[in-house]
PDB file of all heavy atoms in Angstrom:
ATOM      1  N   ASP A 837      52.226 -36.754-128.987  1.00 95.00           N
ATOM      2  CA  ASP A 837      52.955 -35.641-128.365  1.00 95.00           C
ATOM      3  C   ASP A 837      52.037 -34.547-127.862  1.00 95.00           C
ATOM      4  O   ASP A 837      52.378 -33.798-126.809  1.00 95.00           O
ATOM      5  CB  ASP A 837      53.828 -34.997-129.395  1.00 95.00           C
ATOM      6  CG  ASP A 837      55.110 -35.904-129.668  1.00 95.00           C
ATOM      7  OD1 ASP A 837      55.215 -36.837-128.972  1.00 95.00           O
ATOM      8  OD2 ASP A 837      55.650 -35.807-130.800  1.00 95.00           O
ATOM      9  N   ASP A 838      50.852 -34.539-128.313  1.00 95.00           N
ATOM     10  CA  ASP A 838      49.850 -33.404-128.053  1.00 95.00           C
ATOM     11  C   ASP A 838      48.739 -33.836-126.933  1.00 95.00           C
ATOM     12  O   ASP A 838      48.076 -33.033-126.381  1.00 95.00           O
ATOM     13  CB  ASP A 838      49.182 -32.868-129.229  1.00 95.00           C
ATOM     14  CG  ASP A 838      50.187 -32.243-130.247  1.00 95.00           C
ATOM     15  OD1 ASP A 838      50.994 -31.576-129.840  1.00 95.00           O
ATOM     16  OD2 ASP A 838      49.908 -32.664-131.496  1.00 95.00           O
ATOM     17  N   GLY A 839      48.630 -35.117-126.688  1.00 97.00           N
ATOM     18  CA  GLY A 839      47.696 -35.600-125.790  1.00 97.00           C
ATOM     19  C   GLY A 839      47.287 -37.055-126.010  1.00 97.00           C
ATOM     20  O   GLY A 839      48.206 -37.865-126.469  1.00 97.00           O
ATOM     21  N   VAL A 840      45.983 -37.369-125.958  1.00 97.00           N
ATOM     22  CA  VAL A 840      45.612 -38.673-126.275  1.00 97.00           C
ATOM     23  C   VAL A 840      44.384 -38.753-127.271  1.00 97.00           C
ATOM     24  O   VAL A 840      43.494 -38.022-127.162  1.00 97.00           O
ATOM     25  CB  VAL A 840      45.047 -39.423-124.967  1.00 97.00           C
ATOM     26  CG1 VAL A 840      43.878 -38.695-124.231  1.00 97.00           C
ATOM     27  CG2 VAL A 840      44.667 -40.840-125.144  1.00 97.00           C
ATOM     28  N   ALA A 841      44.582 -39.609-128.233  1.00 95.00           N
ATOM     29  CA  ALA A 841      43.655 -39.641-129.356  1.00 95.00           C
ATOM     30  C   ALA A 841      42.772 -40.987-129.237  1.00 95.00           C
ATOM     31  O   ALA A 841      43.258 -41.968-128.587  1.00 95.00           O
ATOM     32  CB  ALA A 841      44.238 -39.695-130.684  1.00 95.00           C
ATOM     33  N   LEU A 842      41.511 -40.872-129.481  1.00 94.00           N
ATOM     34  CA  LEU A 842      40.649 -42.107-129.557  1.00 94.00           C
ATOM     35  C   LEU A 842      40.963 -43.009-130.489  1.00 94.00           C
ATOM     36  O   LEU A 842      41.484 -42.717-131.677  1.00 94.00           O
ATOM     37  CB  LEU A 842      39.173 -41.653-129.720  1.00 94.00           C
ATOM     38  CG  LEU A 842      38.504 -40.714-128.571  1.00 94.00           C
ATOM     39  CD1 LEU A 842      37.137 -40.442-128.872  1.00 94.00           C
ATOM     40  CD2 LEU A 842      38.736 -41.353-127.240  1.00 94.00           C
ATOM     41  N   VAL A 843      40.795 -44.251-130.286  1.00 90.00           N
ATOM     42  CA  VAL A 843      41.079 -45.409-131.208  1.00 90.00           C
ATOM     43  C   VAL A 843      39.770 -46.167-131.359  1.00 90.00           C
ATOM     44  O   VAL A 843      39.245 -46.808-130.502  1.00 90.00           O
ATOM     45  CB  VAL A 843      42.067 -46.265-130.712  1.00 90.00           C
ATOM     46  CG1 VAL A 843      42.250 -47.603-131.736  1.00 90.00           C
ATOM     47  CG2 VAL A 843      43.474 -45.680-130.639  1.00 90.00           C
ATOM     48  N   ALA A 844      39.195 -46.039-132.619  1.00 78.00           N
ATOM     49  CA  ALA A 844      37.867 -46.691-132.915  1.00 78.00           C
ATOM     50  C   ALA A 844      36.848 -46.171-131.928  1.00 78.00           C
ATOM     51  O   ALA A 844      36.959 -45.165-131.239  1.00 78.00           O
ATOM     52  CB  ALA A 844      37.948 -48.180-132.825  1.00 78.00           C
ATOM     53  N   GLY A 845      35.701 -46.985-131.845  1.00 69.00           N
ATOM     54  CA  GLY A 845      34.559 -46.472-131.026  1.00 69.00           C
ATOM     55  C   GLY A 845      34.567 -47.367-129.808  1.00 69.00           C
ATOM     56  O   GLY A 845      35.409 -48.072-129.551  1.00 69.00           O
ATOM     57  N   PRO A 846      33.419 -47.152-128.909  1.00 67.00           N
ATOM     58  CA  PRO A 846      33.320 -47.837-127.696  1.00 67.00           C
ATOM     59  C   PRO A 846      32.815 -49.196-127.831  1.00 67.00           C
ATOM     60  O   PRO A 846      32.653 -50.035-126.875  1.00 67.00           O
ATOM     61  CB  PRO A 846      32.339 -47.024-126.937  1.00 67.00           C
ATOM     62  CG  PRO A 846      31.399 -46.484-128.007  1.00 67.00           C
ATOM     63  CD  PRO A 846      32.278 -46.168-129.182  1.00 67.00           C
ATOM     64  N   GLY A 847      32.452 -49.760-128.977  1.00 60.00           N
ATOM     65  CA  GLY A 847      31.889 -51.168-129.186  1.00 60.00           C
ATOM     66  C   GLY A 847      32.834 -52.250-128.547  1.00 60.00           C
ATOM     67  O   GLY A 847      34.125 -52.294-128.774  1.00 60.00           O
ATOM     68  N   SER A 848      32.142 -53.094-127.874  1.00 54.00           N
ATOM     69  CA  SER A 848      32.909 -54.091-127.135  1.00 54.00           C
ATOM     70  C   SER A 848      33.244 -55.302-128.103  1.00 54.00           C
ATOM     71  O   SER A 848      33.931 -56.229-127.710  1.00 54.00           O
ATOM     72  CB  SER A 848      32.149 -54.767-126.034  1.00 54.00           C
ATOM     73  OG  SER A 848      30.878 -55.298-126.495  1.00 54.00           O
ATOM     74  N   HIS A 849      33.043 -55.229-129.331  1.00 58.00           N
ATOM     75  CA  HIS A 849      33.440 -56.228-130.303  1.00 58.00           C
ATOM     76  C   HIS A 849      34.619 -55.764-131.112  1.00 58.00           C
ATOM     77  O   HIS A 849      35.192 -56.565-131.910  1.00 58.00           O
ATOM     78  CB  HIS A 849      32.377 -56.564-131.316  1.00 58.00           C
ATOM     79  CG  HIS A 849      31.880 -55.395-132.143  1.00 58.00           C
ATOM     80  ND1 HIS A 849      31.382 -54.170-131.589  1.00 58.00           N
ATOM     81  CD2 HIS A 849      31.958 -55.160-133.436  1.00 58.00           C
ATOM     82  CE1 HIS A 849      31.117 -53.399-132.669  1.00 58.00           C
ATOM     83  NE2 HIS A 849      31.508 -53.856-133.725  1.00 58.00           N
ATOM     84  N   LEU A 850      35.109 -54.559-130.950  1.00 68.00           N
ATOM     85  CA  LEU A 850      36.061 -53.967-131.901  1.00 68.00           C
ATOM     86  C   LEU A 850      37.511 -54.235-131.334  1.00 68.00           C
ATOM     87  O   LEU A 850      38.283 -53.433-130.989  1.00 68.00           O
ATOM     88  CB  LEU A 850      35.858 -52.428-131.982  1.00 68.00           C
ATOM     89  CG  LEU A 850      34.489 -52.011-132.528  1.00 68.00           C
ATOM     90  CD1 LEU A 850      34.464 -50.516-132.362  1.00 68.00           C
ATOM     91  CD2 LEU A 850      34.315 -52.490-133.986  1.00 68.00           C
ATOM     92  N   ILE A 851      37.821 -55.606-131.420  1.00 72.00           N
ATOM     93  CA  ILE A 851      39.100 -56.011-130.834  1.00 72.00           C
ATOM     94  C   ILE A 851      40.278 -55.757-131.684  1.00 72.00           C
ATOM     95  O   ILE A 851      41.363 -55.492-131.265  1.00 72.00           O
ATOM     96  CB  ILE A 851      38.984 -57.539-130.435  1.00 72.00           C
ATOM     97  CG1 ILE A 851      40.247 -57.934-129.685  1.00 72.00           C
ATOM     98  CG2 ILE A 851      38.792 -58.466-131.753  1.00 72.00           C
ATOM     99  CD1 ILE A 851      40.325 -57.299-128.352  1.00 72.00           C
ATOM    100  N   ALA A 852      40.079 -55.842-133.083  1.00 72.00           N
ATOM    101  CA  ALA A 852      41.227 -55.632-133.927  1.00 72.00           C
ATOM    102  C   ALA A 852      41.754 -54.184-133.753  1.00 72.00           C
ATOM    103  O   ALA A 852      43.027 -54.034-133.843  1.00 72.00           O
ATOM    104  CB  ALA A 852      40.770 -55.903-135.369  1.00 72.00           C
ATOM    105  N   SER A 853      40.927 -53.228-133.620  1.00 75.00           N
ATOM    106  CA  SER A 853      41.280 -51.836-133.386  1.00 75.00           C
ATOM    107  C   SER A 853      42.132 -51.589-132.034  1.00 75.00           C
ATOM    108  O   SER A 853      42.841 -50.675-131.982  1.00 75.00           O
ATOM    109  CB  SER A 853      40.174 -50.871-133.540  1.00 75.00           C
ATOM    110  OG  SER A 853      39.260 -51.152-132.417  1.00 75.00           O
ATOM    111  N   MET A 854      41.907 -52.498-131.173  1.00 79.00           N
ATOM    112  CA  MET A 854      42.523 -52.285-129.843  1.00 79.00           C
ATOM    113  C   MET A 854      44.119 -52.550-130.129  1.00 79.00           C
ATOM    114  O   MET A 854      44.864 -51.927-129.260  1.00 79.00           O
ATOM    115  CB  MET A 854      41.983 -53.403-128.839  1.00 79.00           C
ATOM    116  CG  MET A 854      42.388 -53.022-127.469  1.00 79.00           C
ATOM    117  SD  MET A 854      41.388 -53.871-126.155  1.00 79.00           S
ATOM    118  CE  MET A 854      42.137 -53.252-124.682  1.00 79.00           C
ATOM    119  N   ALA A 855      44.584 -53.163-131.119  1.00 84.00           N
ATOM    120  CA  ALA A 855      45.944 -53.286-131.347  1.00 84.00           C
ATOM    121  C   ALA A 855      46.536 -51.936-131.548  1.00 84.00           C
ATOM    122  O   ALA A 855      47.869 -51.821-131.346  1.00 84.00           O
ATOM    123  CB  ALA A 855      46.221 -54.203-132.548  1.00 84.00           C
ATOM    124  N   ALA A 856      45.902 -50.879-131.924  1.00 87.00           N
ATOM    125  CA  ALA A 856      46.434 -49.533-132.224  1.00 87.00           C
ATOM    126  C   ALA A 856      46.519 -48.801-130.896  1.00 87.00           C
ATOM    127  O   ALA A 856      47.097 -47.603-130.841  1.00 87.00           O
ATOM    128  CB  ALA A 856      45.697 -48.861-133.313  1.00 87.00           C
ATOM    129  N   ALA A 857      45.820 -49.266-129.842  1.00 93.00           N
ATOM    130  CA  ALA A 857      45.853 -48.420-128.586  1.00 93.00           C
ATOM    131  C   ALA A 857      46.971 -48.768-127.672  1.00 93.00           C
ATOM    132  O   ALA A 857      47.447 -49.948-127.669  1.00 93.00           O
ATOM    133  CB  ALA A 857      44.401 -48.806-127.895  1.00 93.00           C
ATOM    134  N   ASP A 858      47.306 -47.778-126.820  1.00 94.00           N
ATOM    135  CA  ASP A 858      48.428 -48.044-125.929  1.00 94.00           C
ATOM    136  C   ASP A 858      48.020 -47.646-124.472  1.00 94.00           C
ATOM    137  O   ASP A 858      48.665 -47.794-123.544  1.00 94.00           O
ATOM    138  CB  ASP A 858      49.624 -47.503-126.199  1.00 94.00           C
ATOM    139  CG  ASP A 858      49.668 -45.915-126.502  1.00 94.00           C
ATOM    140  OD1 ASP A 858      48.681 -45.280-126.147  1.00 94.00           O
ATOM    141  OD2 ASP A 858      50.536 -45.485-127.119  1.00 94.00           O
TER     142      ASP A 858
END
Side-chain angles (χ1 to χ4, degrees):
D837 292 339
D838 299 317
V840 60
L842 298 182
V843 174
S848 58
H849 65 294
L850 301 175
I851 190 63
S853 62
M854 196 164 181
D858 56 16

